[in-house]
Amino acid sequence: MKGPSIVFENVFLSLGNTRILENVSFRVGSGTIHCIVGANGGGKTSLIRCLLGQMPHSGRIAIDWQAAPVTGYVPQALNFDQTLPLTVRDFIALTCQRRPVFLGVPRAQRELIDAALERVGLSGKSRFRLGSLSGGERQRVLFAQALIPEPSLLVLDEPMAGLDLAGKEILEEAIGAFAAGGGTVLWINHDIVQVREVADSLTYIDRRVLLDGAPAEALASGAALELFPTLVAKRPAEQRASAS
Amino acid sequence: MSELYDIPRQFLIDLADRGVIHYTFLYAFVVNGFLCAIVIGPLLGGIGTMVVAKRMAFFSQAVGNAALTGVAIGVIIGESYTAPYFSMFSFCILFGLLLNFTKNHTKMSSDTLIGVFLSISLAIGATVLLWVSAKVNTHILDTVMFGSILTVDDTDITVLLLTTLLIACVALPLYNQMLLASLNPSLAHVRGIRVKLLEYVFVLLLTILTVACVKIIGAVLVEALLLIPAAAARNLNRSIKGFVLWSIVFSTASCLIGVWAPMRFEIPVPSGGAIILTAAAIFLVTLVIRMTVPRFREASI
């Protein structure tokens, strides 16, 4: 499986009188992990929604599919009534099954769902009510649904929000394994330390593109000094730690 | 169609004649009510789960109130005032679509907008109906609000059966998509679901369902039967399967008991009221179970 490459070219987005995105241009390579970083309200989620065809943008967004055009999408959060009788299995089956879920989930589908839950460390939770899970566990369920059917592009909108350390490691591993298999990952991520460790490339957006490139180069630029002062200040300490 | 309905009708009448079931089933109007209850119960119980999940509890009441105006328009244009289905369906469908269109274009929350439309529809309906009251018996207001399951005729049964068929053909294949669209529209869109179109489809189905049931159980009681069995089922279940199944069971049981019990025990309660009181009793039992059984315990705040 080979993930698609994506080109954003002169993307503009205005909602009402507010300019959300301005002349955004960058490229996401096939089979890479590309992180989008930036301050709150900078237009990251809006950009993702432009890619998904949910925002009235102008400019060009082209996806060059190398395999079946299947997108796995992990939204920021589920805004639902937590008392709704809906198990984890019900929810995932809703996203990938045509037969009404109340008529049951076929065995083959159940196995797929259980396998996806295992990949995010939630084996045995398929019969739990979705509303009874913690916020972090629900994030992992959202990630699990994105894996069925096997996507070639994963679009992640802050999937680590609310996750504990163990949860972060599990998702990081799952994302890494997906990219290692050739899939493309477009990932909104606030954790710049994590971005530096796992991303092949990053784009910093605050209405327009302020940084773009491989993390090592982009974060060494002059602009990065202003955007991530704490990260840059940490570097000498990190160097001492690695030297010792 | 009448001959077709005669088969179950005659079967029940024969059973009553042989003393197998209560003698009141010798009357065709009781049997008609019973047959409607068998169809309406599962229909409202099943769709009710979607209404609860989509938080559209008061939508059907707003449509039911709009039916008042539909009846008035029917009287004005010369339709039969006991069954002005053309006017009711036309006006209520327009009303439902307008409500959904307004919701999509204002981004107001559903409950606020439905509340506004509900009040407007009641005011217009009552005003116009009183205006035409010189032409018809004003008890028609009671019929629209509270229905009368024991006065249904073959036309009402046909409308109900066609509505049931339509809903089964449309809502069953789209059930998952509609539910997912209400949980997260953005995710649903990525999954290839046409979210806005499905919203309109659901509103249309709910409107047709409400109008088809208005004459039989009334605008107020349609809403009650959409909500109470689903709410009772929700009290006891953690999966969609249990939620839908028990909602259908509770709704059907409420309808059948509501039609049968007042006649069997000679209780002076109208069938519509008895149906809802039965549903309410079931809801109370599930509520007590939920509050007392440890497996349902949850945070109090």
Side-chain angles (χ1 to χ4, degrees), chain B residues 11 18 24 28 32 54 68 85 115 131 183 218 228 249 254 280 298:
Chain B
F11 175 71
R18 279 186 271 141
T24 46
N32 281 351
K54 289 172 93 68
L68 284 174
Y85 279 118
W131 185 56
L183 292 176
I228 301 175
V249 169
S254 305
E298 284 179 342

Side-chain angles (χ1 to χ4, degrees), chain B residues 7-32 34 260 263-264:
Chain B
I7 298 170
R9 210 153 31 203
Q10 199 52 51
F11 175 71
L12 287 171
I13 289 173
D14 286 345
L15 285 182
D17 202 24
R18 279 186 271 141
V20 179
I21 55 176
H22 195 245
Y23 75 90
T24 46
F25 281 89
L26 285 169
Y27 303 112
F29 71 90
V30 175
V31 178
N32 281 351
F34 193 76
W260 169 78
M263 289 182 290
R264 174 68 184 81

Side-chain angles (χ1 to χ4, degrees), chain B residues 83-104:
Chain B
Y85 279 118
F86 176 77
S87 306
M88 277 206 293
F89 275 116
S90 309
F91 184 78
C92 290
I93 286 172
L94 270 178
F95 178 87
L97 294 180
L98 181 67
L99 198 162
N100 201 50
F101 179 83
T102 313
K103 187 181 128 216
N104 283 342

Side-chain angles (χ1 to χ4, degrees), chain B residues 62-285:
Chain B
V63 171
N65 291 343
L68 284 174
T69 314
V71 171
I73 293 170
V75 172
I76 291 170
I77 66 173
E79 268 197 279
S80 153
Y81 72 87
T82 53
Y85 279 118
F86 176 77
S87 306
M88 277 206 293
F89 275 116
S90 309
F91 184 78
C92 290
I93 286 172
L94 270 178
F95 178 87
L97 294 180
L98 181 67
L99 198 162
N100 201 50
F101 179 83
T102 313
K103 187 181 128 216
N104 283 342
H105 287 79
T106 60
K107 301 291 175 199
M108 283 173 80
S109 69
S110 288
D111 60 343
T112 308
L113 203 62
I114 290 172
V116 170
F117 270 69
L118 191 150
S119 312
I120 294 171
S121 65
L122 185 60
I124 296 175
T127 307
V128 180
L129 205 63
L130 286 177
W131 185 56
V132 297
S133 62
K135 294 185 181 180
V136 298
N137 184 345
T138 48
H139 284 307
I140 198 165
L141 188 101
D142 295 344
T143 310
V144 172
M145 297 309 278
F146 303 105
S148 177
I149 199 166
L150 296 180
T151 62
V152 296
D153 54 27
D154 287 355
T155 310
D156 301 325
I157 298 177
T158 305
V159 169
L160 182 62
L161 285 179
L162 288 177
T163 303
T164 307
L165 194 66
L166 174 75
I167 288 175
C169 289
V170 178
L172 278 178
L174 295 176
Y175 189 90
N176 293 355
Q177 300 188 6
M178 287 182 187
L179 193 52
L180 182 60
S182 68
L183 292 176
N184 192 301
S186 185
L187 176 58
H189 178 266
V190 172
R191 292 283 179 172
I193 296 169
R194 299 177 70 179
V195 177
K196 295 278 180 228
L197 179 68
L198 278 195
E199 262 182 34
Y200 278 103
V201 169
F202 185 68
V203 161
L204 204 60
L205 289 182
L206 200 52
T207 304
I208 292 171
L209 171 69
T210 304
V211 175
C213 293
V214 153
K215 166 106 187 287
I216 303 168
I217 54 172
V220 175
L221 302 188
V222 175
E223 188 211 359
L225 263 188
L226 280 170
L227 287 187
I228 301 175
R234 179 190 174 126
N235 279 340
L236 301 183
N237 288 284
R238 65 175 68 183
S239 73
I240 282 284
K241 190 176 181 176
F243 183 32
V244 175
L245 179 75
W246 282 104
S247 178
I248 288 174
V249 169
F250 290 154
S251 176
T252 310
S254 305
C255 286
L256 296 180
I257 294 172
V259 171
W260 169 78
M263 289 182 290
R264 174 68 184 81
F265 302 108
E266 295 176 9
I267 309 166
V269 176
S271 51
I275 290 171
I276 304 310
L277 287 174
T278 310
I282 293 171
F283 176 75
L284 283 178
V285 170

Side-chain angles (χ1 to χ4, degrees), chain A residues 89-90 92-94 96-114 148, chain B residues 176 241:
Chain A
R89 179 183 289 160
D90 287 341
I92 300 181
L94 277 182
C96 57
Q97 177 180 313
R98 276 197 80 81
R99 173 179 168 183
V101 170
F102 64 83
L103 294 179
V105 181
R107 180 191 290 268
Q109 199 72 19
R110 280 208 304 269
E111 284 169 2
L112 274 178
I113 293 170
D114 289 346
I148 309 173
Chain B
N176 293 355
K241 190 176 181 176

